[in-house]
Amino acid sequence: MEAETLNKTSATEVVIRLPRLAQLIILASLALIILRLCMFHVYFDQHDKRDDKFIQGREAATGMHCANDRSRWASVAALVHYQTFSIDDIDSRRGKEGNWGTIDKVYHADRKGVERFYSSKPPLYNILLAAQYWLLHRSTGLNIFDSPRFTIKLLTLVNQVLLFAAILLLLARFAQRRLASSPHFYLYLIAIGFGTFLSTFAVTLNNHIPAALFTLLAIMQCHHVSTSKDIPWYRFSLIGLYTAITVTFELPALAFLCLVGLWLFRIDFLSY
C-alpha cells in the first residue's frame, strides 16, 4: 500500500514533503542550471575595438552549442518546416541565420534514389521534440529560424532542465525514507544536484538526461519487485517499457536492458 501511494504522489507533493533545506538545495541546483542556460552566450562590448576582429564574420547566436545538438535541432526543424528527415536545406545555413552545420549526419538515398543528409541521432527523441516545436510554432507563431535562441532555449528548458528536476525529486524522495534523520541526506542531495555530469549536460539538448530518467524509473520498479512479496504484473511491464525507452535514448543501455531481463528471468524461474 505504501508503494502504491508513492507511485500516485505528484512531483508537487514530493517537494512539499521534503525538508526545507532539501528543497533549497534542489532549487539552488536548478537555479544555477537555468542561469547558465540564459547566460551561455557572451555579449561583447560594441565600443571595445579589441573585439572587432573576433566579432567580424561570426554567425548569429542560435542557442546551439556544437555539432551534436545542431544535428538534433536540424532534424526537428526539417520535420516541422519541410516534413522530412532530410537536413540538406538546414545543414547549409550559415552567417546571419546562425550556424546549423553539423558533422553528426549520415548520407543515405531517399525513396527516389536521391542521396541526402540525415541526422545520425536516433529518431524517436527528434520526433518528440518536433511534436513539441510544432505545437509551439502553431500556437504562438514562434519560428526556430527567426528566433532560434529563444525557441531553442525554451525547448531545452522543457526537455532537459525539467527532466533533471524530476530526477532530483525522485532520488530525494527515495533517499528520504532511508536517510531522513541523517546529515548525510543533505550531502547526498548536494552530490546529485551539483556533482554529476547531468547538471552540465542540462543546458544543451542531449540524450543523456532522458536516458538517466528512464534508467532511474526502471531501477525504482526493480526495487519494488525485489522488496515485494506480491508483485503485480504491471511492474514487469513498466520495467520493460522503461528499459526499452532508455535504449532508444542511449544505445549502450542495451546492456542494461539485457542485464535487467536476465535478473527478471531469474526471479520468474525461482518463483516456480
Side-chain angles (χ1 to χ4, degrees):
M1 178 64 71
E2 186 177 1
E4 296 297 329
T5 303
L6 176 59
N7 287 341
K8 296 178 181 179
T9 302
S10 67
T12 303
E13 291 172 328
V14 169
V15 174
I16 293 174
R17 293 181 182 181
L18 288 174
R20 179 62 59 85
L21 181 56
Q23 296 180 37
L24 291 176
I25 292 173
I26 292 175
L27 290 176
S29 173
L30 297 176
L32 180 60
I33 293 173
I34 294 173
L35 182 64
R36 288 168 48 222
L37 179 65
C38 295
M39 298 183 63
F40 171 77
H41 296 284
V42 177
Y43 294 91
F44 298 95
D45 185 357
Q46 296 179 355
H47 303 291
D48 189 346
K49 299 302 180 183
R50 293 174 299 175
D51 292 335
D52 287 350
K53 186 176 180 180
F54 184 81
I55 295 175
Q56 191 174 12
R58 290 281 179 174
E59 291 93 355
T62 60
M64 295 181 283
H65 291 225
C66 62
N68 189 302
D69 63 332
R70 284 199 294 267
S71 178
R72 299 179 192 277
W73 288 120
S75 183
V76 168
L79 284 169
V80 173
H81 291 283
Y82 301 114
Q83 293 76 52
T84 179
F85 280 99
S86 170
I87 62 173
D88 288 3
D89 295 331
I90 299 172
D91 182 55
S92 59
R93 288 174 176 260
R94 298 292 191 280
K96 293 182 179 180
E97 296 180 320
N99 182 3
W100 289 79
T102 177
I103 60 173
D104 288 355
K105 56 190 176 184
V106 295
Y107 205 43
H108 186 70
D110 62 14
R111 294 179 180 179
K112 298 180 180 179
V114 180
E115 292 187 332
R116 302 183 183 278
F117 281 115
Y118 299 87
S119 171
S120 61
K121 306 302 179 184
L124 178 60
Y125 195 25
N126 294 343
I127 292 174
L128 295 175
L129 290 165
Q132 296 173 50
Y133 171 53
W134 181 84
L135 289 172
L136 184 65
H137 177 62
R138 293 296 296 269
S139 60
T140 67
L142 268 178
N143 190 304
I144 201 169
F145 298 128
D146 298 334
S147 305
R149 188 187 309 164
F150 180 77
T151 306
I152 286 173
K153 287 183 179 293
L154 178 60
L155 290 172
T156 300
L157 174 69
V158 173
N159 290 276
Q160 300 296 316
V161 181
L162 294 186
L163 295 190
F164 183 67
I167 292 173
L168 293 181
L169 292 174
L170 288 171
L171 286 174
R173 189 69 183 93
F174 185 80
Q176 187 183 17
R177 293 175 177 273
R178 295 153 182 83
L179 300 172
S181 59
S182 170
H184 295 155
F185 177 58
Y186 299 105
L187 294 177
Y188 164 84
L189 291 179
I190 292 172
I192 63 176
F194 299 94
T196 74
F197 276 116
L198 289 181
S199 61
T200 62
F201 288 135
V203 296
T204 182
L205 184 65
N206 68 91
N207 57 302
H208 303 302
I209 288 181
L213 175 60
F214 281 98
T215 300
L216 176 60
L217 291 173
I219 291 174
M220 293 183 73
Q221 291 299 323
C222 289
H223 173 73
H224 286 304
V225 169
S226 65
T227 56
S228 302
K229 293 183 179 179
D230 298 324
I231 309 171
W233 63 269
Y234 68 84
R235 291 207 182 278
F236 296 98
S237 300
L238 288 175
I239 292 173
L241 175 65
Y242 294 151
T243 52
I245 292 177
T246 302
V247 173
T248 68
F249 288 119
E250 199 83 70
L251 296 181
L254 183 61
F256 172 66
L257 184 149
C258 294
L259 182 63
V260 172
L262 290 174
W263 178 72
L264 292 176
F265 178 78
R266 176 180 175 275
I267 290 179
D268 184 65
F269 179 78
L270 294 176
S271 64
Y272 290 102

